[in-house]
Amino acid sequence: MSVYDVIILGGGAAGLFSAYNLNSSVNALVIEGNSKPGIKIQISGGGRCNFTNLSVNHDDFYSLNQHFSKSSLSQFSNHDFIEIVKKHDISFYEKKLGQLFCEKNSKEIIKMLVDKIGAHKINIHLDESVIDLGYEESFIVKTNKRSYKAKNIVVALGGLSFPKLGTSDIGYHIARKFNHKIVQTEPSLVPFVYDDFSKLAGVSTDVEISVNQKKIQDDFLFTHKGCSGPAVLKISLYWNHGDEVSVNFFPLLDFLSHLMKFKKNNPNKNLIKYLKTLLPDRLVEFLDLPDKSFQELSHKEISSITNKISDYRFTPTGTEGYKKAEVTRGGVSTKNINSKTMESKLQNGLYFIGEVVDVTGLLGGYNFQWAWSSAFVASKSIKEKLNG
Ligand SMILES: Cc1cc2nc3c(=O)[nH]c(=O)nc-3n(C[C@H](O)[C@H](O)[C@H](O)COP(=O)(O)OP(=O)(O)OC[C@H]3O[C@@H](n4cnc5c(N)ncnc54)[C@H](O)[C@@H]3O)c2cc1C
C-alpha cells in the first residue's frame, strides 16, 4: 500500500481549503462522505455563501481559550481570503454589518477550490465515509471502501449541525482515540424554543438582546416554536440551558425618560395607542400593558412598563437543536492543539481544523473564515515539514 504525504478527512470548507493550499509536489487525497464536495458552502447564505466578514478578530469567536484563534487569523486573515476571491473574478457584495456574500452563487467558491485542487493533481474521493483512524508507523485511514496509509492526517470532519447534510461524530471519535479532550458540544447559532411566543409568530423587530454579559443588536423574529432571527442566533452562541435572556424591544432610547417626557407633553394620549406607533401592534398587545391615558399612569407604572419593553426577560426551554443549528459549539479541545500550526500536541502529523475544533464564530461569515484560516496554517505546516 503506498503512503500518502497527507490525507484530508472531510471535503467541506476547511478540508477543501487545506487541499487548495497544498501543491502538486504533495501526494495528497481528500475523502468526503457526500456525493458533492463543500455542500455547506453551497447551501449557506441562501445559496450565496457569506464567505467572510470585513471585520474579523478573535473576539468574534467563542472557545474555552478565547486567544486560540489569534494565530491562525493573523497568519491568514479575512483580507487574504477576499484577495483570493477577487483574483478569481468572483463578484461579491456587503449585505450588512460587514458580511460579504457572492453576487451570483456560492458554487463559484466551490469551483474555485475544486479547480485548484484538480490543478494540484489531488483527488477528492466522494461517497466514501471515514470509519476509523489508527496509527502503526504511519496513519491508517479506514473507510467504508478500503484502507489508506498517510504520513499526515488533517481532520476536517466538521460538527453535528444540519445532520441531513451528512454530518457525523467521527471527528470527535478520532480525537478521543488519540487522547484529545472534547469540550462538550452544543447546537449553536440556533433558534430558541419558548411556547409563550407562539401567538406572535411572524412578528419581527430590531432589538438588543443580552445573556451572560454579552449584548447583540439585530433583528428578532417570533416563531411558532419561540424566537429566531439574527439577534437570537447570535446570542445563542453565549447561552447555556437555564440562562435567562433579556430583550430590549426599543434599544434606541432611554425609554423611561422618553415616556416621562411624552407624558408631560401629551397627558391625554393613550399609552397603548402611542406604543403601537413605535412597536409592532401584536407585540404591544402581548406585553399586556394598562389601557390608560398617560395622565392616569403613575411613575411606578411607567417604570414597570419601561421594564417590560426595555428589559423583557424570558428563559428559553431549549433550542431547536442540531437540526436547525448553523454550527456546533465546543469540540476538540484547543489545549491539545498547537495554535500556530493546528497540529496535535499529542500525536505528530495529526491536524484538526474547522468546526470540529472548539472555536465557534458568530453569525456573519466568521465560521467560514475560521475554516479558511485554520486550514491555511495546517497546510503551511505540512508543506514546511515535507520540505524540511
Ligand atoms: C444552513 C447553514 C448555513 C451556514 N451559513 C454560513 C455562512 O453563510 N457563513 C459562515 O461563515 N458559516 C455558515 N455556516 C457554518 C459553516 O457552514 C461551517 O462552519 C463550515 O462549513 C465548517 O467547515 P468545516 O469544513 O469544518 O465543516 P463542514 O463544511 O461541515 O465539512 C465537513 C465535511 O466532512 C464530511 N464528513 C463528515 N463525516 C464524514 C465521514 N465519516 N467520512 C467522510 N466525510 C465526512 C461532511 O460531509 C462535510 O463535507 C452555515 C452552516 C449551515 C448549516
Side-chain angles (χ1 to χ4, degrees):
M1 200 192 300
S2 66
V3 182
Y4 283 93
D5 288 330
V6 51
I7 297 182
I8 298 167
L9 310 181
L16 293 178
F17 200 60
S18 174
Y20 177 102
N21 283 292
L22 296 174
N23 55 48
S24 51
S25 63
V26 181
N27 179 19
L29 171 68
V30 180
I31 301 175
E32 166 56 42
N34 280 324
S35 57
K36 287 182 194 170
I39 197 80
K40 278 194 186 164
I41 303 175
Q42 187 175 326
I43 59 132
S44 66
R48 286 191 165 164
C49 180
N50 175 197
F51 58 83
T52 193
N53 196 291
L54 285 174
S55 157
V56 176
N57 75 69
H58 73 280
D59 286 342
D60 301 312
F61 298 86
Y62 183 96
S63 168
L64 279 194
N65 176 358
Q66 273 306 116
H67 300 281
F68 184 81
S69 60
K70 277 182 180 169
S71 179
S72 292
L73 294 171
S74 71
Q75 291 183 65
F76 187 84
S77 71
N78 50 338
H79 302 293
D80 293 321
F81 195 76
I82 293 167
E83 277 314 305
I84 292 179
V85 170
K86 280 185 184 163
K87 212 173 90 191
H88 287 83
D89 288 327
I90 297 174
S91 46
F92 61 89
Y93 67 104
E94 180 190 354
K95 196 171 179 184
K96 66 170 192 173
L97 303 170
Q99 299 170 27
L100 300 185
F101 285 76
C102 295
E103 194 95 54
K104 290 188 198 131
N105 197 308
S106 49
K107 285 184 185 163
E108 288 184 302
I109 300 278
I110 300 172
K111 184 174 181 314
M112 170 185 96
L113 301 173
V114 169
D115 284 355
K116 184 81 171 268
I117 294 167
H120 294 334
K121 308 223 171 343
I122 297 173
N123 284 327
I124 304 176
H125 286 189
L126 298 170
D127 279 323
E128 185 162 346
S129 293
V130 176
I131 295 169
D132 203 1
L133 181 73
Y135 189 86
E136 285 168 26
E137 289 172 7
S138 63
F139 290 101
I140 301 167
V141 179
K142 275 201 184 128
T143 74
N144 59 341
K145 295 190 175 164
R146 51 172 289 188
S147 294
Y148 304 88
K149 284 187 174 179
K151 292 179 205 156
N152 296 284
I153 292 290
V154 177
V155 179
L157 289 158
L160 300 168
S161 54
F162 261 61
K164 65 179 179 189
L165 300 181
T167 55
S168 76
D169 63 358
I170 186 76
Y172 308 125
H173 166 77
I174 290 171
R176 278 198 197 95
K177 195 166 169 188
F178 286 85
N179 299 316
H180 287 247
K181 295 252 173 320
I182 304 293
V183 175
Q184 189 181 334
T185 55
E186 295 285 348
S188 198
L189 306 188
V190 65
F192 286 140
V193 174
Y194 188 65
D195 287 348
D196 288 7
F197 287 161
S198 61
K199 41 183 111 60
L200 288 171
V203 172
S204 77
T205 184
D206 187 48
V207 303
E208 183 180 81
I209 187 166
S210 43
V211 76
N212 295 324
Q213 274 100 47
K214 283 283 174 187
K215 279 189 188 347
I216 302 282
Q217 192 171 337
D218 214 323
D219 293 332
F220 180 104
L221 172 70
F222 291 96
T223 67
H224 288 287
K225 291 189 175 166
C227 52
S228 184
V232 171
L233 299 187
K234 285 179 185 174
I235 209 73
S236 72
L237 186 58
Y238 307 102
W239 182 82
N240 296 304
H241 278 269
D243 285 344
E244 191 178 54
V245 176
S246 160
V247 186
N248 181 350
F249 289 113
F250 209 80
L252 304 173
L253 285 176
D254 170 352
F255 208 64
L256 179 62
S257 318
H258 177 76
L259 289 185
M260 292 310 290
K261 198 164 153 203
F262 191 86
K263 176 181 174 174
K264 200 167 155 203
N265 298 330
N266 307 273
N268 297 323
K269 285 259 162 72
N270 176 277
L271 169 79
I272 290 183
K273 275 193 186 145
Y274 175 60
L275 290 179
K276 284 184 175 176
T277 66
L278 304 177
L279 294 168
D281 289 6
R282 280 162 64 201
L283 173 59
V284 175
E285 284 152 22
F286 171 82
L287 292 171
D288 195 20
L289 304 168
D291 190 5
K292 290 182 178 175
S293 68
F294 273 88
Q295 66 189 346
E296 293 171 295
L297 293 168
S298 66
H299 190 282
K300 200 171 156 206
E301 278 175 304
I302 292 187
S303 278
S304 128
I305 292 158
T306 302
N307 277 344
K308 278 192 173 176
I309 290 172
S310 53
D311 186 19
Y312 182 88
R313 286 170 185 247
F314 72 103
T315 303
T317 44
T319 70
E320 288 197 39
Y322 287 115
K323 229 170 148 179
K324 290 284 174 73
E326 277 203 11
V327 284
T328 303
R329 193 181 77 184
V332 182
S333 171
T334 57
K335 278 191 182 156
N336 303 141
I337 302 173
N338 180 336
S339 65
K340 293 187 177 70
T341 60
M342 300 307 291
E343 188 174 11
S344 165
K345 290 179 181 170
L346 308 176
Q347 172 69 53
N348 285 344
L350 180 61
Y351 292 77
F352 292 91
I353 60 172
E355 197 176 316
V356 76
V357 178
D358 172 35
V359 174
T360 311
L362 272 171
L363 190 81
Y366 300 99
N367 285 297
F368 280 135
Q369 185 57 48
W370 170 245
W372 316 136
S373 296
S374 57
F376 175 88
V377 299
S379 292
K380 183 171 160 241
S381 162
I382 290 167
K383 281 187 292 186
E384 283 167 3
K385 216 194 265 183
L386 292 170
N387 288 336

